[in-house]
Amino acid sequence: MDDTESLARSYAARLLSYEDVEKSAQEMFDIVEQVIHDDKEYEKTKRFILQIVRVMDEIDPDYNYAVAKAYYKKAKDAYGTE
């Protein structure tokens, strides 16, 4: 397991330990927001977030799904056209 995978597992454990869907979604949203305008960093961050999501899904798919829905709502609220 490489360092990135270890870090992704650590982040996934942290997000799961919150037992708070909104807090987990907000943390993921904040990570992406920090790099969204930097193409190179955004691509690396996107891959990292996907690793975190994969680990979370292996451990608790229901929580992962709830976080994904909350994350989507945050993104829609921030960038949606409604």
Side-chain angles (χ1 to χ4, degrees), residues 34-65:
Q34 291 177 12
V35 298
I36 200 158
H37 299 292
D38 181 333
D39 290 339
K40 184 178 177 182
E41 288 302 311
Y42 177 73
E43 282 302 313
K44 291 186 332 191
T45 301
K46 181 175 73 173
R47 285 191 302 273
F48 181 64
I49 292 289
L50 290 172
Q51 284 179 292
I52 294 168
V53 167
R54 181 181 44 78
V55 171
M56 287 175 54
D57 197 53
E58 290 171 2
I59 297 169
D60 189 339
D62 293 333
Y63 186 79
N64 185 53
Y65 178 74

Side-chain angles (χ1 to χ4, degrees), residues 13-41:
R14 184 165 108 186
L15 295 175
L16 288 163
S17 75
Y18 291 157
E19 296 182 354
D20 181 332
V21 168
E22 288 300 318
K23 184 175 181 178
S24 295
Q26 186 63 53
E27 187 164 324
M28 291 178 74
F29 185 81
D30 292 345
I31 290 168
V32 173
E33 284 299 296
Q34 291 177 12
V35 298
I36 200 158
H37 299 292
D38 181 333
D39 290 339
K40 184 178 177 182
E41 288 302 311

